[in-house]
């Protein structure tokens, strides 16, 4: 109910038709770390401190595969911090970019 009160709720509903495609890809994609070894682009991987363990593990695997990445942990947040605390999210991104 609280998620429905957020400004981005309407946009999320409009994107609902993509969910089945995204879930299919998520279930069929095979992560091959070596594919990313030549990607020398500074990359920020944001992770909510309270995100599920499997998300933390996935983020750590991606971080290990990318030659120029770092993990930014959003204290006290879960997976949807960009929606619930956009100021914190933006601050982390701007700090990284600047």
């Amino acid at each position: 109910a609280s998620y429905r009160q957020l400004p981005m709720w309407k946009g999320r509903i409009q994107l609902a038709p993509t969910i089945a495609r995204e879930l299919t890809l998520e279930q069929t994609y095979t992560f091959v770390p070596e594919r990313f070894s030549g990607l020398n682009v500074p990359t920020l991987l944001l992770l909510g401190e309270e995100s599920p363990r499997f998300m933390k593990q996935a983020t750590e695997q991606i971080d290990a595969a990318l030659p120029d990445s770092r993990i930014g942990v959003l204290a006290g947040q879960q997976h949807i911090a960009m929606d619930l605390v956009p100021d914190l999210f933006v601050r982390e991104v701007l700090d990284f970019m600047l």
Side-chain angles (χ1 to χ4, degrees), residues 2 16-18 21-22 30 32 34 41 45 48 50 65 69 71 73 76 94-95:
S2 61
T18 68
R21 181 181 65 225
E22 291 169 10
T30 301
V32 180
E34 296 77 26
V41 177
L45 304 167
E50 303 298 325
S69 65
I71 297 173
V73 178
L94 289 177
D95 286 350

Side-chain angles (χ1 to χ4, degrees), residues 42-46 59 63 66 68-73 92-93 95-97:
T43 304
L44 173 64
L45 304 167
L46 290 175
T59 302
D63 182 50
L66 293 169
D68 190 10
S69 65
R70 73 174 180 86
I71 297 173
V73 178
E92 287 291 325
V93 171
D95 286 350
F96 175 74
M97 294 178 72

Side-chain angles (χ1 to χ4, degrees), residues 5-95:
Q5 304 306 312
L6 297 174
M8 42 54 62
W9 175 252
K10 188 174 182 179
R12 295 282 187 184
I13 294 301
Q14 291 172 343
L15 294 173
T18 68
I19 292 173
R21 181 181 65 225
E22 291 169 10
L23 290 175
T24 299
L25 179 62
E26 183 178 295
Q27 294 170 359
T28 60
Y29 179 75
T30 301
F31 179 65
V32 180
E34 296 77 26
R35 290 181 184 165
F36 300 91
S37 63
L39 189 60
N40 292 308
V41 177
T43 304
L44 173 64
L45 304 167
L46 290 175
L47 177 67
E49 179 183 46
E50 303 298 325
S51 291
R53 178 79 186 132
F54 77 91
M55 287 185 176
K56 182 177 185 210
Q57 291 171 332
T59 302
E60 290 169 346
Q61 288 178 337
I62 295 167
D63 182 50
L66 293 169
D68 190 10
S69 65
R70 73 174 180 86
I71 297 173
V73 178
L74 301 173
Q77 300 305 309
Q78 295 185 12
H79 181 60
I80 57 170
M82 66 282 201
D83 296 326
L84 299 178
V85 286
D87 291 343
L88 174 61
F89 179 83
V90 169
R91 185 170 57 245
E92 287 291 325
V93 171
L94 289 177
D95 286 350

